[in-house]
Amino acid sequence: MAGGAQENEEEITGINVTPLVDVVLVLLIIFMVTANFIVRETVEVDLPRAANGGETVQGLVNVVLDKEGKLYFDGAAVTEPELTTKVAEAVAKDKDTRAIISADQTIAYGQVMRLIDTVKGQGIAKFALNIEKDVAPAAAPATP
């Protein structure tokens, strides 16, 4: 009878990895779904100091509002009605025109919002605010 018991036992010849694959796939799906909700870091920024606009890149315009409230479009001083016209002309040439808006940090928030409204009102859907990261001063060496 001992021989009969040995015949019913099967020798393990391989490892079944199906449960492992199932678990890995479920974890992969969970990580992929939640990856969009993870905040990697926060960056503290300071509003930039205005400078005249630089060279124009195809499909990109620079709009600057300096500390005196003067407007510049691609480095040339303009009035608000002229800015509206120039932005409309840029959009007429290229529908995918983007804008970089720079403003001095001393300018009132309302003026910057009015500038953004002017740019968006002429059909520029994609724009960026030019910012400058606030760099912390180097730590002073400790004195004994």
Side-chain angles (χ1 to χ4, degrees):
M1 297 254 185
Q6 288 178 350
E7 290 177 348
N8 289 340
E9 292 180 16
E10 294 182 17
E11 187 175 324
I12 298 176
T13 57
I15 299 174
N16 187 2
V17 293
T18 304
L20 177 65
V21 172
D22 290 342
V23 170
V24 170
L25 286 175
V26 168
L27 289 174
L28 180 64
I29 291 170
I30 290 171
F31 291 145
M32 287 174 55
V33 170
T34 60
N36 292 334
F37 303 115
I38 297 172
V39 177
R40 288 185 170 71
E41 68 179 62
T42 58
V43 178
E44 291 189 27
V45 293
D46 191 10
L47 290 174
R49 287 176 276 303
N52 290 342
E55 294 291 321
T56 300
V57 177
Q58 184 66 24
L60 182 67
V61 295
N62 291 310
V63 180
V64 178
L65 182 62
D66 71 3
K67 62 183 174 183
E68 284 88 27
K70 295 180 185 173
L71 287 170
Y72 295 89
F73 180 84
D74 286 339
V78 293
T79 62
E80 196 164 337
E82 290 174 336
L83 174 67
T84 303
T85 304
K86 288 190 179 279
V87 171
E89 289 171 358
V91 171
K93 289 179 187 174
D94 183 7
K95 296 287 184 197
D96 295 328
T97 298
R98 296 168 290 149
I100 296 179
I101 300 173
S102 304
D104 193 83
Q105 64 184 358
T106 60
I107 294 296
Y109 183 73
Q111 288 180 294
V112 176
M113 288 306 299
R114 191 168 63 239
L115 179 60
I116 291 171
D117 287 341
T118 301
V119 169
K120 287 180 70 176
Q122 297 307 311
I124 294 183
K126 295 181 181 178
F127 68 93
L129 296 176
N130 192 9
I131 56 175
E132 186 175 282
K133 185 174 180 183
D134 188 16
V135 179
T143 55

